[in-house]
Amino acid sequence: WNQEEGTAKEWEVMYRKEGATDWAKTSTVTAKTATFDGLDPATNYEAAVIAHCLTGVNSDLSELVKFTTLEETCDAPTDLQVKDITHHSVVLTWKQTENTAKEWVVNYRVKDTEEWTPQTVTTTSATLEGLTELTNYEAMVVAHCINGVNSDNSETVIFKTEENAVNDYAANISLYP
């Protein structure tokens, strides 16, 4: 804001959601800058200033300044990799922007079926167990970020479980001296 030098000793800065009748918060500052925390994301606001002059008289309310806060986002997990496939399990790993997520939901299903099975983990890897051998699966990951926002889905990976190497054969053992 502009104020003729030397005429004000402090400013009362206030904001509210656009269209509200009452000011949400006011702050008195001695420099021509003010910061407000705790604003809602993706919200229209308006702000105004009153100068507290050296003469003890206050200025009129300034013109309203309108602004919109940014929408909060959460980066999606990247580089989803399939590791250590067996006949009944798989290990998945991925990358996440540092210090953004607190947990992840791994969604997996038999390829081309409707229902996803979710598994929540607190590290950037997950072991999926109880899978069916020689079956195609698909998986993706969603981050639950520390700002309370969920990410978009990661890319989807497709993998096939292996055949069980141990077969159920009846053993016929004969021992001779």
Side-chain angles (χ1 to χ4, degrees), residues 76-83 92-96 124 141 154-155 157:
T78 60
D79 197 26
L80 181 58
Q81 300 284 319
V82 176
K83 309 275 184 176
L92 300 174
T93 63
W94 58 92
K95 294 179 182 171
Q96 181 71 42
T124 54
V141 181
S154 70
E155 69 272 16
V157 294

Side-chain angles (χ1 to χ4, degrees), residues 8 10 20-21 23 26 41 44 50 61 65 68 76-77 93 95 101 118 122 152 158-159 162 173 177:
E10 61 187 19
T21 55
W23 294 102
T26 63
N44 295 326
I50 296 174
L61 187 67
V65 174
T68 302
T93 63
K95 294 179 182 171
T122 58
D152 290 335
I158 298 171
F159 59 92
E162 296 178 348
I173 301 174

Side-chain angles (χ1 to χ4, degrees), residues 16 27 35 40 71 95 110 116 144 150 161 168:
R16 64 184 174 201
S27 179
T35 301
D40 293 334
E71 183 173 334
K95 294 179 182 171
V110 172
W116 291 94
H144 290 183
N150 294 339
T161 51
D168 295 326

Side-chain angles (χ1 to χ4, degrees), residues 82 85 90 92 128 131 135-139 157-161:
V82 176
I85 299 174
V90 66
L92 300 174
L128 309 179
L131 306 178
T135 302
N136 289 318
Y137 285 88
E138 54 189 339
V157 294
I158 298 171
F159 59 92
K160 185 175 184 177
T161 51

Side-chain angles (χ1 to χ4, degrees), residues 28-43:
T28 302
V29 296
T30 57
K32 293 182 189 178
T33 183
T35 301
F36 292 106
D37 295 323
L39 301 177
D40 293 334
T43 303

